[in-house]
Amino acid sequence: MRILSDTGVVFEDPRAVDLLRAAGARVEGGSQRVRLDPGLVLEKAALAPREFELVARTPERSVRVGGEHLVFAPTGGPAFVSDLEGGRRAGTLEDLHRLIRLSEAVPVIHHGAPEVVPTDRPLPSRHLDILLAQIRLSSRGLIGDTWGAARARDHLEMTAILFGGRDALSGKAALLGFVNSNSPLRYDRHMTEGLLEYATYGQPLIITPFIMAGATSPVTLAAAAAQQNAETLAGIVLAQIVRPGAPVLYGGFLTGMDMRTGAPAFGRPEAALGILAAAQMARRYGLPCRGAGLLTNSKVPDAQAGCEKANMLWPLLLAGVHYVPHAAGWLDSGLVASFEQFVIDADLLEMAGRFLAGIRVDEESLALEIIERVGPGGQFLAQPHTQRHMRTELLHPALSDTSAYESWARDGSNDSCARAGRRWRQILETYRQPPLDPAIDAALEEFVERRSRELQRFTGS
Amino acid sequence: MRILSDTGVVFEDPRAVDLLRAAGARVEGGSQRVRLDPGLVLEKAALAPREFELVARTPERSVRVGGEHLVFAPTGGPAFVSDLEGGRRAGTLEDLHRLIRLSEAVPVIHHGAPEVVPTDRPLPSRHLDILLAQIRLSSRGLIGDTWGAARARDHLEMTAILFGGRDALSGKAALLGFVNSNSPLRYDRHMTEGLLEYATYGQPLIITPFIMAGATSPVTLAAAAAQQNAETLAGIVLAQIVRPGAPVLYGGFLTGMDMRTGAPAFGRPEAALGILAAAQMARRYGLPCRGAGLLTNSKVPDAQAGCEKANMLWPLLLAGVHYVPHAAGWLDSGLVASFEQFVIDADLLEMAGRFLAGIRVDEESLALEIIERVGPGGQFLAQPHTQRHMRTELLHPALSDTSAYESWARDGSNDSCARAGRRWRQILETYRQPPLDPAIDAALEEFVERRSRELQRFTGS
């Protein structure tokens, strides 16, 4: 609160500054720096819903955000893809489509579709290709572009077409946007525009600073968490001014800087503590919380990736966050979407679900009669009780190998990355494209074609 | 309690059965099956210390067990070793020595020394070679053999020599023994003999059932935890009858059986829940708790190993266990001690320490003045505050790579296993042998030579 009140936050957008000033923020002269008093911050933050539904066009894919719910979404944003056969390479539209199909076929992915930049498509209209692919190939709720007003409006328009018009969309949280502040304490023009557009439409926003302790915030974690809190709340206040009750998530993405490389260090204790701090602060304001993701610096699905991802997952489970983007597929600090890593991560997410289910304790599960019947020195495998509960009590992750060394060696001594290379292709074969009303499909196609022509003409590409 | 009272536990050793009967246990006729009433169990369990010191010959290596303390010990027991250059192979005395030296040079290993079976040494006297290596090469507290009275006595004798005689050892917990029940509900002759010997000497014991839910216990986790509790308490009661106040740890090693292979499945949610259950039960009886370890089924230090190890570490931290064996080096369900995995695990253990240290919150760490000074759009790297705290606030694990892809590729595209292959050799070069009184060294040598001759003659090998 002292950071917001004394230091303030810069919004590089005159509309945002005017809106904040009109709501009671202090702004000196023609400055873009906005200072917010605690009363204003708390009043506006309290307008945000504690829980809301992220609506998907396929109703059974709608998910709750907040409360006791935990939503996993796949990785988004990489410019590169990788798989064992093809190596690391720039993403294409075909890669994007394959990743979305893979994700659609993985039940533990609850919301969104993976995004990789289709670098073989014209730059000005790529965002249209991306959302069209999401809508056509995935049944899950949508994730939209927020970079500047134009892209945001295009995505909001497409979502309106999908849901039967702008009115039909009203009151529905159907297109989730990610807004990131430019830490320290600054929202650039593009992000602010995106925030304003989504909030105006009543569409949900995850508002996340990029805190790298030691570079974009002080190195001490208490300061990093405080600054993250100030930046997130500033964005949330703006969204609530634009539209009281707009669905928002408190976003955390705190890392420490690796001194040796200057890079953000994922999967480390500082990031784990940052997740706990963010979720605690979000609870303080009654806001649903976005947890960082299954993030790693590793270039390949190796032991480092495995440790770092589990080191992110566990604090996410402990913290009680509500939405986890980048939960599958992320590699190389977010530059790469990996097909192998995607299915490795999916197994880890399945394990999280079994862990959270806990230990059921009742007469049937205590099974004292069975213990008495089998007695000292016996074995339980042949007991009907074992057969009855084996498949529900124990999880059998597809990729985890427990075979004897000799049989593993006979099968080719495949490490988990090699096994994942077979596994994602098997999963991809189970993909079924979700049905879409042909009239809506045609309207979307028409919109995308028209806008693509306009945008490519406008930018001369 | 109902399992102990109604079903009972078998001790395949007449001395143990007599001791238990004399203390009030119910034993029918000449049976080895012992039934224990709750009053007797609680009375005896209450005699065990809540906290004690594991004494090392180098006093600064002594560690506390119980309370807020957490002790990591390296892997023990594998018959195979592996490293990237040499592959998987039967362990030798030279491997044992190298592993102990590596472990000694890793500060996050608090107690014990890694053990690999020196298969190039005569079978009957290998236990002597193992403890002699531990004593000579490591400054940390000792882990001893419990398999049968003879081996246990040899190790207790050697420990007495090291500490200046049996009297000097009295009241000191200097040789930690691992006793495992043969689940379900049975202590075999060798383990019972070991338990009796250690308890008689007042030496500490970790008493751990081998619960594989679905095979050695019912498949439901509630039953598995209850049976584990019954077996552990039975062993602890016996130790307390032999010597009231004998230091013991409540041991948990609960896994589920992998249906596809019949193997215990490590690093899964069932094992994680088992760790929490064991620690909760241990707290109920005021006993220090041993957590399973950083266990994995993986054959190599890959993503599976990384995930599974982190999936064990996190519940160990959450559960508040006090002693973690197999915390570094374990691979392939415990059949292999891996040099690469050892240093990968050590980094993970370092991270655990930083995580447990938490977030310090005070004026210096909140750094509001620094945030005000840098302001929106600035950067913190050059701030004296950053320089002042960078090395203590952030952990920089040696093996974690955060470099840019291009520089990583230029360096040879080494995954974390390949980097670990260089790292353990670098660490090994820093090893310094801890000093040992030459008279004690000579006495130990004399004992080992004499006993080796006796044992090899006795067994004809």
Side-chain angles (χ1 to χ4, degrees):
Chain A
M1 290 298 159
R2 276 172 57 194
I3 297 169
L4 285 169
S5 172
D6 298 351
T7 307
V9 176
V10 162
F11 285 90
E12 297 180 339
D13 179 289
R15 254 201 313 160
V17 175
D18 289 347
L19 283 163
L20 285 156
R21 188 190 347 239
R26 286 175 285 124
V27 188
E28 283 171 24
S31 164
Q32 297 178 314
R33 198 195 281 213
V34 172
R35 291 184 171 84
L36 303 165
D37 291 328
L40 178 64
V41 174
L42 295 176
E43 177 203 319
K44 296 300 176 191
L47 297 173
R50 302 182 84 90
E51 192 178 324
F52 60 89
E53 189 167 52
L54 275 177
V55 176
R57 70 172 159 103
T58 314
E60 58 270 29
R61 294 301 188 193
S62 296
V63 294
R64 301 288 305 170
V65 172
E68 295 285 301
H69 304 279
L70 173 56
V71 175
F72 292 133
T75 193
F80 299 91
V81 294
S82 79
D83 66 67
L84 268 179
E85 271 184 32
R88 186 192 200 259
R89 60 197 186 272
T92 63
L93 191 64
E94 178 51 29
D95 289 318
L96 174 66
H97 287 177
R98 279 202 303 174
L99 271 170
I100 295 176
R101 288 192 199 102
L102 176 61
S103 183
E104 174 73 6
V106 169
V108 77
I109 299 297
H110 307 120
H111 182 262
E115 185 205 317
V116 63
V117 180
T119 57
D120 55 345
R121 299 288 294 166
L123 179 63
S125 55
R126 276 179 198 160
H127 63 289
L128 303 170
D129 303 317
I130 290 170
L131 191 61
L132 187 62
Q134 246 194 89
I135 291 173
R136 282 180 166 164
L137 301 179
S138 166
S139 63
R140 285 157 175 83
L142 303 177
I143 295 175
D145 202 323
T146 51
W147 195 83
R151 287 201 205 167
R153 277 181 207 154
D154 283 342
H155 275 197
L156 290 161
E157 283 296 318
M158 288 173 72
T159 308
I161 292 170
L162 179 65
F163 279 83
R166 209 165 154 166
D167 288 346
L169 193 58
S170 171
K172 281 190 184 130
L175 183 70
L176 178 64
F178 286 69
V179 163
N180 302 106
S181 56
N182 295 64
S183 307
L185 300 168
R186 191 161 58 101
Y187 282 80
D188 71 17
R189 184 170 63 83
H190 293 104
M191 282 285 109
T192 312
E193 284 181 6
L195 187 155
L196 295 175
E197 292 299 325
Y198 274 66
T200 304
Y201 267 77
Q203 292 308 302
L205 286 164
I206 296 182
I207 297 178
T208 315
F210 176 54
I211 301 287
M212 176 166 43
T216 70
S217 84
V219 71
T220 43
L221 298 183
Q227 186 188 310
Q228 174 174 270
N229 189 56
E231 295 183 21
T232 307
L233 287 178
I236 287 172
V237 165
L238 178 56
Q240 298 306 318
I241 290 170
V242 172
R243 187 181 180 114
V248 290
L249 284 95
Y250 184 111
F253 194 90
L254 193 164
T255 62
M257 189 186 72
D258 190 318
M259 277 196 330
R260 294 170 298 205
T261 59
F266 301 111
R268 298 217 185 145
E270 300 82 15
L273 292 166
I275 289 167
L276 301 185
Q280 286 176 21
M281 295 310 290
R283 262 197 297 283
R284 183 180 173 88
Y285 303 109
L287 296 164
C289 183
R290 167 256 166 110
L294 268 62
L295 313 180
T296 179
N297 295 97
S298 188
K299 314 299 177 289
V300 285
D302 61 356
Q304 180 183 344
C307 288
E308 289 182 348
K309 279 164 178 276
N311 282 347
M312 299 301 282
L313 180 62
W314 279 92
L316 291 168
L317 300 182
L318 299 180
V321 302
H322 303 100
Y323 189 97
V324 180
H326 310 305
W330 161 300
L331 269 188
D332 192 4
S333 308
L335 291 173
V336 172
S338 155
F339 288 85
E340 282 81 21
Q341 191 66 55
F342 200 98
V343 293
I344 292 172
D345 292 343
D347 268 10
L348 198 54
L349 299 177
E350 293 278 2
M351 290 193 221
R354 174 65 191 92
F355 176 76
L356 289 175
I359 301 182
R360 188 167 55 90
V361 182
D362 55 24
E363 204 172 328
E364 171 72 9
S365 64
L366 276 169
L368 297 182
E369 273 175 47
I370 317 294
I371 294 172
E372 168 71 26
R373 188 182 315 147
V374 170
Q379 62 85 3
F380 292 84
L381 192 53
Q383 290 295 316
H385 181 271
T386 304
Q387 302 304 319
R388 198 154 66 236
H389 293 284
M390 186 62 109
R391 279 161 203 282
T392 49
E393 189 75 1
L394 306 181
L395 189 77
H396 291 86
L399 280 172
S400 302
D401 174 69
T402 65
S403 60
Y405 175 81
E406 292 69 20
S407 95
W408 176 80
R410 208 165 42 232
D411 284 353
S413 301
N414 292 304
D415 69 8
S416 60
C417 181
R419 298 195 301 274
R422 289 199 302 255
R423 174 84 184 143
W424 71 260
R425 287 183 171 80
Q426 291 165 355
I427 294 176
L428 204 52
E429 281 173 21
T430 69
Y431 171 75
R432 295 281 172 273
Q433 186 164 338
L436 180 62
D437 180 335
I440 289 175
D441 193 276
L444 284 166
E445 175 120 2
E446 190 277 328
F447 177 86
V448 167
E449 277 183 10
R450 177 174 57 78
R451 282 294 290 152
S452 294
R453 277 195 310 274
E454 287 171 13
L455 289 163
Q456 287 163 34
R457 196 167 50 230
F458 180 69
T459 57
S461 65
Chain B
M1 290 298 158
R2 276 172 55 194
I3 297 169
L4 285 170
S5 171
D6 297 352
T7 307
V9 175
V10 161
F11 285 90
E12 297 180 340
D13 179 288
R15 254 201 313 160
V17 174
D18 288 347
L19 282 162
L20 285 156
R21 188 190 346 241
R26 285 175 286 124
V27 186
E28 283 171 25
S31 164
Q32 296 178 315
R33 197 196 282 213
V34 173
R35 292 184 170 84
L36 303 165
D37 291 327
L40 177 64
V41 174
L42 296 176
E43 177 203 321
K44 295 301 176 193
L47 296 173
R50 302 182 83 91
E51 192 178 323
F52 60 89
E53 188 166 54
L54 275 176
V55 176
R57 70 172 158 102
T58 315
E60 58 270 30
R61 295 299 188 194
S62 295
V63 294
R64 301 288 305 169
V65 172
E68 296 285 301
H69 304 279
L70 173 57
V71 176
F72 292 134
T75 195
F80 299 90
V81 293
S82 80
D83 66 65
L84 268 178
E85 271 184 32
R88 185 189 200 260
R89 59 196 186 272
T92 63
L93 191 64
E94 177 52 27
D95 289 318
L96 174 67
H97 288 176
R98 280 202 303 173
L99 271 169
I100 296 176
R101 288 192 199 103
L102 176 61
S103 183
E104 174 73 6
V106 169
V108 77
I109 299 297
H110 307 120
H111 183 261
E115 184 205 317
V116 63
V117 180
T119 56
D120 55 343
R121 299 289 294 167
L123 179 63
S125 55
R126 277 180 197 161
H127 64 288
L128 302 170
D129 302 316
I130 290 170
L131 191 61
L132 187 61
Q134 246 194 89
I135 292 172
R136 281 180 166 164
L137 302 178
S138 167
S139 63
R140 287 161 174 80
L142 303 177
I143 295 176
D145 203 321
T146 52
W147 195 83
R151 287 201 206 167
R153 278 182 205 153
D154 283 342
H155 276 197
L156 289 160
E157 283 296 319
M158 288 173 73
T159 307
I161 292 170
L162 179 65
F163 280 83
R166 207 165 157 166
D167 287 345
L169 193 58
S170 172
K172 281 193 184 129
L175 184 70
L176 178 63
F178 286 70
V179 163
N180 301 106
S181 57
N182 294 61
S183 306
L185 301 168
R186 191 161 58 103
Y187 283 79
D188 71 17
R189 183 172 62 85
H190 293 104
M191 283 285 110
T192 311
E193 284 180 7
L195 188 155
L196 295 175
E197 292 300 325
Y198 274 66
T200 303
Y201 266 77
Q203 291 308 302
L205 286 165
I206 296 182
I207 296 178
T208 314
F210 176 54
I211 301 288
M212 177 165 44
T216 69
S217 84
V219 71
T220 43
L221 298 183
Q227 186 188 310
Q228 175 174 269
N229 189 58
E231 294 183 20
T232 307
L233 287 178
I236 287 172
V237 165
L238 177 56
Q240 298 305 319
I241 289 170
V242 173
R243 188 183 180 113
V248 289
L249 283 95
Y250 184 110
F253 194 89
L254 192 162
T255 63
M257 188 187 73
D258 190 319
M259 278 196 330
R260 294 170 299 206
T261 59
F266 302 110
R268 298 215 186 147
E270 299 82 16
L273 291 165
I275 289 167
L276 301 185
Q280 286 176 21
M281 294 310 291
R283 262 197 297 283
R284 184 180 173 88
Y285 303 107
L287 296 163
C289 183
R290 167 255 165 109
L294 267 60
L295 314 180
T296 179
N297 295 98
S298 188
K299 314 297 176 291
V300 284
D302 60 357
Q304 179 182 344
C307 289
E308 289 181 349
K309 278 163 178 278
N311 282 346
M312 300 301 282
L313 179 62
W314 279 92
L316 291 168
L317 300 183
L318 299 180
V321 303
H322 302 101
Y323 188 96
V324 180
H326 311 304
W330 162 300
L331 269 187
D332 192 4
S333 309
L335 291 174
V336 171
S338 155
F339 287 84
E340 282 81 20
Q341 192 66 55
F342 199 99
V343 293
I344 292 173
D345 293 343
D347 268 10
L348 198 54
L349 300 177
E350 293 278 3
M351 291 194 221
R354 175 64 191 94
F355 176 76
L356 290 175
I359 301 182
R360 188 168 54 91
V361 181
D362 55 23
E363 205 173 327
E364 172 72 8
S365 64
L366 276 169
L368 297 182
E369 272 174 48
I370 317 294
I371 293 172
E372 169 70 25
R373 187 183 314 147
V374 169
Q379 61 86 1
F380 291 84
L381 191 52
Q383 291 295 317
H385 181 270
T386 304
Q387 302 305 317
R388 196 153 69 235
H389 293 285
M390 186 62 110
R391 280 162 202 284
T392 48
E393 189 74 1
L394 306 180
L395 189 77
H396 291 86
L399 279 173
S400 302
D401 173 69
T402 65
S403 60
Y405 175 80
E406 292 69 20
S407 96
W408 176 81
R410 208 165 41 231
D411 284 354
S413 300
N414 293 305
D415 69 8
S416 60
C417 180
R419 299 195 300 276
R422 290 199 302 255
R423 174 84 185 142
W424 72 259
R425 288 184 171 82
Q426 291 164 356
I427 294 175
L428 205 51
E429 281 172 21
T430 69
Y431 170 76
R432 295 280 172 276
Q433 186 163 339
L436 180 62
D437 179 334
I440 289 176
D441 193 276
L444 285 165
E445 175 120 3
E446 190 277 328
F447 178 86
V448 167
E449 278 183 11
R450 177 173 57 78
R451 282 293 292 151
S452 295
R453 276 196 309 275
E454 287 171 12
L455 289 163
Q456 287 162 34
R457 193 166 52 230
F458 181 70
T459 58
S461 64

